[in-house]
Amino acid sequence: MLGQMMQWPLLVSSILRHAASYHGDTEIVSRTVEGPIHRYTYADLSRRAKQLANALGRLGLEPGDRVGTLAWNGYRHLELYYGVSGSGLVCHTINPRLFPEQIAFIIAHAGDRVLFSDLSFLPILEQMADALKGLKAVVIMTDEAHMPSSPLLPDLVCYETLIAEEADEYEWPDLDENTASGLCYTSGTTGEPKGVLYSHRSSVLHAMSCALPDVLGLSALDSVSPVVPMFHVNAWGIPFIAPMVGAKLVMPGPKLDGASIHELFEQEGVTFTAGVPTVWLTLLDWMDSHGQSFTSLKRVAIGGSAVPPVMISRLQDKGVTVRHVWGMTETSPLGLAAALKAKHEGLAPEQKLALRAKQGRPLFGMEFRTRGTDGKPIARDGKSFGSMLVRGPWVAAGYYNSPASPAHAEEGWFDTGDVVTMDADGFVQIVDRTKDAVKSGGEWISSIELENIAQSHPAIKEAAVVAKPDERWGERPVLVVQLKPEAHFSRQEMIDLYTGKVARWSIPDDVLVVDELPHTATGKLLKTAIREIVVNRLQVGSLDEDLPPVSR
Ligand code: AMP
């Protein structure tokens, strides 16, 4: 027997309708590319998203057409999220930190019909002018006063002019909730980037689950600033969650340095923010060197790569609670969040810190399975490890316009490529990416564990651990560090740092100091490039010839 409840599709447009009706006067504040701070409300967003939807129709776009965006976090980008997806088109966010050739590849692969770009990315557009010729329009997200003129791109359209003449009346179509709403390509560190095609249903369910107290825990009392970019997996769903709960939104725009972020947080009473660890490293260092504190910030969600425990402590000392989260482009992104349970309240501070530093426990809606090398589930003892598989309504079942299938999707489970431990409470700890773990003498060494320890040393700004080839052991770990200004760090200090904290055979063989560690376009350590640096140095000679190898 079927239930007798209404069929009400879960649509992205329903979030905006809700925000405009019941949180219409709640503010959205954006630092603009043009410079000034822009303020308006959810009611304004709704009106302008409707004008945009009308303009997209006038451009001749058909349901399902892809619309590309190259943009920072700001109000016009938000209008695209709703105006494009809400009207039955697909909002394809593109990472502007990729190389122009990669961007051109992605635009062609996605078959984008129109591209919207912030002013900042004009040089990128000019470099790939040929690849843009087939588009119906390239729209610059600014007003007439700031429109650039480009001999290479003579037909640029001005965003404000495009929507100015349009009516702000528009009936959001009653789409099937499985209609595609968004498209985001994986970072492509291994092979060509692949497109993950989100649906209205997956986006709304993900947002509802992420809003819960033990995940991001957002409410109408919050002032929320997504520092994680809207071009990186929908800014972890925050552009959907904030209007869903009626939170104020504070968009940092292009300025992501410590001083600008701190100033914006303080001015706008930001209570919650989210982003990858490197952003907070920069902010904390700036705050410490300028003797600054937070007056409103209470919580920060950190993920994308592992949060070093020392970062949790540094933020805690400033009155901010860290919620470590885990996710992937293929999982919309969030799947795990490290919120403590009632039974953990009596734990000692170090034990609580150790739990908070884990990637977290499953969100409702995400099912996890582990698999040891023997193919059997691993013991949930927080020690045994194996690969992590996941399934759920916001996990990719395929890739856009590609025969490639997410690993193991045919079995109904997606292989995350992460090696993990899980405890009886469901807390998962990522030991490593399968491809980043160091395999030494048949044992796996966790690069994340070694990086976290290095990160706690006062001389080290950022640390990476990668494998170097080794005749006897197969691979051995090497620590690669960027030091703080004027700081010094020797191999002996490294050995002292690890001694007693990890098994002796896990201690890196060498340390290599570099001016800067390379990152991916999404701010993660670029392990392939770091491995190359190490291998190139080894060709010149040993990394450090003066000291004997660490005994094992
Ligand atoms: P991407 O799809 O580019 O966002 O990358 C997803 C991968 O990032 C995951 O499979 C993890 O290996 C890594 N990742 C994401 N969040 C975390 C985290 N909190 N700790 C460690 N690794 C993470």
Side-chain angles (χ1 to χ4, degrees), residues 66-120:
R66 277 77 56 213
V67 174
T69 72
L70 265 179
W72 299 111
N73 294 7
Y75 68 103
R76 292 192 184 104
H77 205 176
L78 201 56
E79 290 163 11
L80 283 155
Y81 263 49
Y82 286 97
V84 172
S85 306
S87 61
L89 306 169
V90 179
C91 182
H92 171 206
T93 52
I94 306 167
N95 187 336
R97 296 194 182 118
L98 295 169
F99 294 117
E101 309 83 70
Q102 290 173 304
I103 297 178
F105 168 86
I106 289 176
I107 289 176
H109 189 271
D112 290 337
R113 308 294 306 279
V114 177
L115 179 67
F116 286 77
S117 168
D118 266 338
L119 262 177
S120 351

Side-chain angles (χ1 to χ4, degrees), residues 7-11 175-180 199-202:
Q7 291 293 326
W8 187 80
L10 301 173
L11 298 178
L175 306 166
D176 179 321
E177 64 181 13
N178 291 303
T179 304
S199 68
H200 285 261
R201 175 184 155 82
S202 73

Side-chain angles (χ1 to χ4, degrees), residues 187 232 303-306 324-329 359 416 418 433 524:
S187 43
H232 187 202
S305 30
H324 193 180
V325 293
W326 169 94
M328 303 182 72
T329 311
Q359 275 68 22
T416 60
D418 288 330
R433 291 291 288 162
K524 301 180 195 205

Side-chain angles (χ1 to χ4, degrees), residues 212-333:
L212 290 173
D214 278 356
V215 188
L216 302 184
L218 299 185
S219 84
L221 297 174
D222 280 309
S223 170
V224 175
S225 184
V227 172
V228 51
M230 289 168 75
F231 55 73
H232 187 202
V233 211
N234 300 321
W236 302 355
I238 293 171
F240 300 127
I241 305 165
M244 190 178 265
V245 302
K248 171 177 172 180
L249 254 180
V250 181
M251 300 293 208
K255 290 201 164 174
L256 302 179
D257 60 287
S260 307
I261 297 255
H262 185 261
E263 181 192 64
L264 191 67
F265 284 8
E266 289 301 302
Q267 273 173 11
E268 301 303 328
V270 168
T271 56
F272 172 92
T273 182
V276 295
T278 31
V279 174
W280 312 120
L281 205 58
T282 314
L283 176 61
L284 284 168
D285 286 350
W286 180 86
M287 286 175 73
D288 286 348
S289 60
H290 290 79
Q292 293 285 346
S293 55
F294 292 120
T295 53
S296 58
L297 190 67
K298 293 284 169 286
R299 289 165 295 131
V300 49
I302 312 183
S305 30
V307 183
V310 63
M311 183 176 285
I312 302 181
S313 305
R314 282 178 80 187
L315 280 157
Q316 210 157 290
D317 291 346
K318 297 195 185 312
V320 177
T321 305
V322 170
R323 173 72 33 91
H324 193 180
V325 293
W326 169 94
M328 303 182 72
T329 311
E330 285 93 336
T331 62
S332 292

Side-chain angles (χ1 to χ4, degrees), residues 249-484:
L249 254 180
V250 181
M251 300 293 208
K255 290 201 164 174
L256 302 179
D257 60 287
S260 307
I261 297 255
H262 185 261
E263 181 192 64
L264 191 67
F265 284 8
E266 289 301 302
Q267 273 173 11
E268 301 303 328
V270 168
T271 56
F272 172 92
T273 182
V276 295
T278 31
V279 174
W280 312 120
L281 205 58
T282 314
L283 176 61
L284 284 168
D285 286 350
W286 180 86
M287 286 175 73
D288 286 348
S289 60
H290 290 79
Q292 293 285 346
S293 55
F294 292 120
T295 53
S296 58
L297 190 67
K298 293 284 169 286
R299 289 165 295 131
V300 49
I302 312 183
S305 30
V307 183
V310 63
M311 183 176 285
I312 302 181
S313 305
R314 282 178 80 187
L315 280 157
Q316 210 157 290
D317 291 346
K318 297 195 185 312
V320 177
T321 305
V322 170
R323 173 72 33 91
H324 193 180
V325 293
W326 169 94
M328 303 182 72
T329 311
E330 285 93 336
T331 62
S332 292
L334 298 188
L336 300 167
L340 302 191
K341 300 184 180 185
K343 68 175 175 187
H344 299 133
E345 265 170 20
L347 291 180
E350 323 79 71
Q351 291 171 306
K352 284 189 183 167
L353 178 62
L355 272 178
R356 286 189 194 287
K358 292 194 177 197
Q359 275 68 22
R361 51 191 171 84
L363 275 60
F364 172 72
M366 293 289 263
E367 288 184 4
F368 287 83
R369 186 186 258 187
T370 53
R371 195 143 72 177
T373 40
D374 57 2
K376 298 202 177 103
I378 55 165
R380 281 183 42 186
D381 55 7
K383 293 192 190 84
S384 314
F385 52 80
S387 352
M388 178 166 73
L389 281 67
V390 61
R391 69 177 181 189
W394 54 90
V395 178
Y399 289 113
Y400 179 65
N401 195 9
S402 162
S405 121
H408 297 298
E410 68 280 3
E411 296 168 28
W413 290 86
F414 168 68
D415 187 343
T416 60
D418 288 330
V419 179
V420 305
T421 66
M422 192 189 261
D423 70 12
D425 289 316
F427 276 83
V428 168
Q429 179 153 29
I430 300 211
V431 178
D432 236 319
R433 291 291 288 162
T434 318
K435 58 186 185 344
D436 292 341
V438 183
K439 285 134 213 143
S440 177
E443 298 282 352
W444 287 35
I445 298 175
S446 160
S447 64
I448 294 181
E449 185 186 12
L450 298 179
E451 285 159 7
N452 282 346
I453 293 172
Q455 209 72 59
S456 66
H457 193 280
I460 295 178
K461 177 152 194 288
E462 202 177 11
V465 169
V466 292
K468 69 166 184 175
D470 184 278
E471 263 180 35
R472 182 161 171 213
W473 303 99
E475 286 179 354
R476 290 293 305 151
V478 174
L479 175 66
V480 186
V481 291
Q482 179 186 346
L483 297 181
K484 291 191 180 149

